[in-house]
Amino acid sequence: MTTTTVRTFRAPKMEGFVPAHFNVDSERRLVTVRFDSEVTVQDVVQYLESLKANPAFDPGFSGLVDLTQVMSSEVDFQAAMMLSHEVDPFSRKARRAFVAPRAATFWTVRMYQKARGDDGSVAVFRTMDEAKHWLHIEQSATGNSIQWLSKSYAASVA
């Protein structure tokens, strides 16, 4: 199994702040990403550019985007258009599920979905279980959500 985890950093904020954690799992053909706190357009661009540069990434992989910790986002419709048409490295056939329990984040993803052209490959859900079901991701025996960053990895790149 080839699994690669990469961190991206928010430039002008405090040193070492990590707005997004992502994991590329080649065996499962799945990219998982979790955004923290507030999300800027630059955070999303950095994540997508890092993903695109990752040798384990394939544009046909599915994606699971965890926005459960996001409190605010500066992504507007113009930014959503730019992200969907200029930066997004996923193929148009790749299935991506966004988990956005807060209303503002949910509607930000719906805006992105519309900007991209709602072709059924992108969906937004309120819960992780719904998103995993839609992506056909098996639940673990314990029912825990995906493990994002191990302490050993976080310590090795800090």
Side-chain angles (χ1 to χ4, degrees), residues 88-120:
D88 190 342
F90 285 90
S91 86
R92 300 292 290 174
K93 295 179 182 180
R95 288 173 61 98
R96 286 185 291 158
F98 291 76
V99 181
R102 290 178 181 76
T105 311
F106 185 91
W107 291 110
T108 298
V109 176
R110 291 286 291 141
M111 192 171 35
Y112 168 79
Q113 189 179 30
K114 293 295 184 193
R116 189 172 186 276
D118 192 0
D119 59 3

Side-chain angles (χ1 to χ4, degrees), residues 63-67 94-100 106 109-110 112-114 116-127 130-135:
L64 178 60
V65 183
D66 182 350
L67 302 172
R95 288 173 61 98
R96 286 185 291 158
F98 291 76
V99 181
F106 185 91
V109 176
R110 291 286 291 141
Y112 168 79
Q113 189 179 30
K114 293 295 184 193
R116 189 172 186 276
D118 192 0
D119 59 3
S121 64
V122 173
V124 59
F125 302 93
R126 300 284 186 180
T127 70
E130 292 172 316
K132 287 179 179 181
H133 178 75
W134 187 76
L135 287 172

Side-chain angles (χ1 to χ4, degrees), residues 10 13 16 20 27-28 40 56 84 105 111 125 136 151 153 156-157:
R10 184 189 313 249
K13 290 276 187 168
E27 185 176 295
R28 294 173 70 194
T40 68
S84 67
T105 311
M111 192 171 35
F125 302 93
H136 307 290
K151 290 180 182 178
Y153 176 78
S156 70
V157 296

